[in-house]
Amino acid sequence: SKKKSSKSSKSSKSSKSSKLLESKDSSTTQTQLKSLYNDYDNVINLKRSDFKIDKTTKPYKIKLIHPKFKNKKGLINFYADWCGHCKNMVPVWADVASLTAGKFVFGAVNCEDAENNNHQLRADIGVKYYPTIYYITKSGNLVKYNDDTTRDSLIMFIYSK
């Protein structure tokens, strides 16, 4: 799997154990929740604002509107950063994302990120356990993925779509 080049900074080193990391961005300081996937180029960290939620229907009609998923198929992993199964899945998810880059787009949502309202997104989508995976159609619709989460199963699923 392909990792991003890491930039070492005093503030990010000292706050590694904290859930919140501070990063400098053109003279403003942003606070970003730690993601299990921050080090992987082929996995897009998503937040609630990347989804369009129509609450006039039951169940809610939810579409992914992130530009990197536009007219592309993909998979999204809804996880919690404290979850052991989720942590164990990181290398598999990153590896499959790297192997299928160009065919599928991979995303991840840290459901514990209250600052970006991801806890509300978790409730809107109905995530009841971690990790929960959704297949994203070319039109941005979410379809629950219920197959195995092994590397081979994920790859076979992707190439069947």
Side-chain angles (χ1 to χ4, degrees):
S1 61
K2 188 168 136 184
K3 286 193 171 193
K4 289 182 183 175
S5 61
S6 60
K7 296 177 186 174
S8 63
S9 73
K10 200 175 212 178
S11 72
S12 67
K13 282 182 182 176
S14 65
S15 62
K16 282 246 184 215
S17 62
S18 170
K19 281 189 175 184
L20 296 176
L21 297 177
E22 288 189 22
S23 62
K24 301 273 184 192
D25 182 40
S26 62
S27 79
T28 61
T29 301
Q30 292 180 334
T31 304
Q32 179 186 16
L33 191 74
K34 182 179 178 182
S35 168
L36 295 179
Y37 296 94
N38 278 345
D39 292 336
Y40 298 95
D41 288 329
N42 292 317
V43 179
I44 300 163
N45 288 302
L46 300 168
K47 56 189 178 228
R48 188 173 191 277
S49 62
D50 293 318
F51 296 81
K52 182 179 177 184
I53 302 167
D54 179 358
K55 292 189 174 187
T56 63
T57 64
K58 288 280 184 182
Y60 299 151
K61 186 174 181 183
I62 300 170
K63 285 189 128 178
L64 179 63
I65 57 173
H66 189 283
K68 290 192 176 180
F69 281 82
K70 187 174 183 175
N71 298 320
K72 295 183 180 164
K73 296 181 233 175
L75 288 172
I76 298 178
N77 179 4
F78 291 85
Y79 72 92
D81 55 359
W82 49 260
C83 167
H85 294 294
C86 300
K87 289 176 183 178
N88 291 336
M89 193 171 170
V90 170
V92 172
W93 197 252
D95 184 38
V96 176
S98 181
L99 289 171
T100 60
K103 176 156 179 67
F104 252 58
V105 181
F106 276 70
V109 175
N110 183 348
C111 293
E112 298 297 301
D113 184 351
E115 185 175 312
N116 285 306
N117 288 323
N118 288 358
H119 64 297
Q120 184 61 51
L121 176 63
R122 178 193 71 221
D124 291 342
I125 291 177
V127 171
K128 292 179 176 35
Y129 57 87
Y130 300 117
T132 294
I133 299 172
Y134 277 85
Y135 164 63
I136 307 304
T137 66
K138 277 189 173 185
S139 60
N141 294 316
L142 281 70
V143 179
K144 190 149 187 200
Y145 172 86
N146 291 312
D147 292 336
D148 235 1
T149 58
T150 63
R151 179 183 180 275
D152 290 344
S153 293
L154 289 166
I155 291 170
M156 287 178 64
F157 175 81
I158 289 165
Y159 283 99
S160 74
K161 296 295 173 189

